[in-house]
Each structure stands twice: as structure tokens, then as C-alpha cells.
Amino acid sequence: QAKQQGGNRYEFYHADMKLNTENILQLEMDLRRALEREELELYYQPQVDALSLKPVGAEALIRWNHATQGLISPASFIPLAEATGLIEALGDYALNQAIKQTAEWHKQGHQITIGINLSSKQFNQHTLIGQIQHAIEKNGLASQYIDLEITETLAMNDAEHNIAILNGLKALGVKLSIDDFGTGYSSLSYLHRFPVDHLKIDRAFVQNLDLETGQSLARTILAMAQSLQLTVIAEGIENTTQESFLQKHGCQILQGYKYGKPMQKEAFSDWLNHYNRQIDL
Ligand code: C2E
Ligand code: MG
Ligand code: MG
Ligand code: MG
């Protein structure tokens, strides 16, 4: 059936696609090959301090550069990687690459924090703590510069159980973020008990900041985060209106196309160096 769609692989791997045995097997084959051929690559998106607009970090975002189909979005292939079990190899690859690259930037004098997305399977893997510890030791990156992101939906689903996992991760000294905040249903009492450092406001809220309802929702999230002593990272800032609003209401870290799109490591290095030259002037 996928072939009848004119070979459009992007459509083929669309997240809403109904999973059946045939397309899972096809994806599994393609992804396995992609991992071997190193067609998977991490891109890095800048995160800046909301007031100084100085670089403070990056989020590592995986890309599948398919030999013939071009770039395929993670929103399309991550859910299917989860379904096939390949997410474990993929997640391990992302974790190691991101930590290795960040250690490199630290050696060049850029003390940035790296945001790494964890899938549900990865989060529940009992080997996760060991993997992170190994990557930290091997690359010599201080754990406080690693920020593990789990989605609000994942965090709140079986929250009691997740608190134990989060505490285990926290004991490594890493930072923890609740990603896509506002898109799921959070229980305030659990949010209060999670040993997390950051809330990442979902891009959907930032997009709505030109509307009055959008503004009051964002203000509510920021006020709540403040009372829970959580740092807020806003995603998807594209214009000055959104930036000004978030600065004014106490959001601490900004991420969005306004500062930079996700980019290859070389381009991200250039961005860091360019920025630091500007500051030195
Ligand atoms: P996310 O973790 O919420 O990542 C933020 C997404 O917003 C990224 O999409 C980023 O490119 C996009 N974005 C950031 N700023 C802007 C903006 O100003 N405008 C617009 N239009 N978009 C913006 P991306 O890279 O397509 O990733 C989608 C999702 O795939 C991520 O959402 C994350 O859930 C997942 N993902 C990406 N890499 C990994 C990975 O290595 N492991 C796992 N488990 N999931 C990943
Ligand atoms: Mg994320
Ligand atoms: Mg997000
Ligand atoms: Mg998102």
C-alpha cells in the first residue's frame, strides 16, 4: 500500500499510520540498515538565556538522512522505532553521540548543557542509568550538563512508578526536564513530587501568544513553575512578540527558529564561535 503512494516515504512513516505487520517489518529493516550505514545523525538546536540571549545549551534532535528519500522527521519514525524495539539502539546511539559531542564543545570552552530526549521504552529500561554513567565517564562530561527530557504524557502515566526512576536518574547528577508541557494532563501533586529541574513549554503555547487566551495560559504555566521552583524553557520562539512576552513573564531559557534551527554539529560549532566573537567585541 505504501508503494501505491508514489514512494513517498515521509507519508509512509507518518506517525498516525496504522501499524501492521508488513510496514513494521519494512521499517525495522530500513532503520536497522540506517543505523548500520550511519544515516542517522544528531542535529543541535540552540537554547539561549532569555535575558542576555547568550547560548546556554542545545537540544539534540535526531534526523534520518535516508539515502534516497532525504531527511525524514523523527515525529514520523520515533513512534515506529518504539513499536519495533529498535528505539533501544537508536536511543543508545543518540545518548552517546550527544554526550560525546558536548564533551568536545566543553573542551573548546563552551560550557553548554545538552538536552537529550528519552523515549518511553528507554526511560523504562533498567540499563539506562548504567548507559548514562558509562557515557559520562568515557567522555569526561560533568553530569550537570546533561538534561534528560521526558514528555509530560510519559511522566504522568504511572507517575508513582516514574518518581522512582527519576530519583535514580537524579542521583547521577543530571538535570531532568518535562517536555511538551501543557499538552498532557498533569497532576499538580505529582509535579510537585517529581525531582525535575525544568518544564519545557510546548511550542503550541508559544504560537498562541498573540492571542489573549494564549497569553493567560502561558502566564499561568510560568507562575506555577515559579512556585514549584522549576526553570522554564520555552520552545518554538519565532518572533520578537513571543520573545518579549516570555522575557517579561520570567521564562528563563528560549529555544526556537528565532535563535537557530536544529543544525549539524559543524554548523552548531560555527554558531557558538560566531556568538562568542560578537560578545568579545
Ligand atoms: P521535541 O523534543 O518537543 O523537540 C522540539 C521540536 O520542535 C523539534 O522538532 C524542533 O525542530 C521543533 N522546533 C523547535 N523550534 C521551533 C520553531 O521555532 N518552529 C518550529 N516550527 N519548530 C520548532 P523535531 O526535531 O522534528 O522533533 C520532533 C520530536 O521528535 C521531538 O519533539 C522529540 O519528541 C522527538 N525526537 C527527536 N529526536 C529524538 C531522539 O533522539 N530521541 C527520542 N526519543 N525522541 C526524539
Ligand atoms: Mg525535547
Ligand atoms: Mg518539546
Ligand atoms: Mg514537541
Side-chain angles (χ1 to χ4, degrees), residues 40-53:
L40 294 179
E41 182 181 2
L42 285 187
Y43 276 45
Y44 299 88
Q45 186 177 28
Q47 293 178 338
V48 301
D49 174 84
L51 296 180
S52 68
L53 302 183

Side-chain angles (χ1 to χ4, degrees), residues 86-105:
L86 275 171
I87 193 72
E88 295 186 15
L90 188 155
D92 199 39
Y93 169 80
L95 197 66
N96 280 292
Q97 277 298 115
I99 291 175
K100 184 174 164 216
Q101 183 55 50
T102 306
E104 192 93 355
W105 282 320

Side-chain angles (χ1 to χ4, degrees), residues 197-200 225 229-233 252-253:
D197 304 279
H198 308 128
L199 291 186
K200 294 196 76 175
Q229 291 178 295
L230 299 173
T231 299
V232 177
I233 303 173
Q252 292 96 336
I253 298 174

Side-chain angles (χ1 to χ4, degrees), residues 43-50 53-60 102 105-106 110-116 144-147 149 198 200 233 252-256 259-261 263 268 271-272 275:
Y43 276 45
Y44 299 88
Q45 186 177 28
Q47 293 178 338
V48 301
D49 174 84
L53 302 183
K54 277 188 191 174
V56 292
E59 178 172 8
T102 306
W105 282 320
H106 277 233
H110 307 292
Q111 306 282 98
I112 59 169
T113 294
I114 187 75
I116 302 173
Q144 76 204 73
Y145 294 104
I146 296 170
D147 180 17
E149 303 185 5
H198 308 128
K200 294 196 76 175
I233 303 173
Q252 292 96 336
I253 298 174
L254 306 177
Q255 176 183 346
Y259 316 102
K261 288 193 174 180
M263 49 188 120
F268 191 82
W271 181 81
L272 282 172
Y275 181 85

Side-chain angles (χ1 to χ4, degrees), residues 10 24 84 143 225 229 275:
Y10 190 89
I24 288 178
T84 58
S143 57
Q229 291 178 295
Y275 181 85

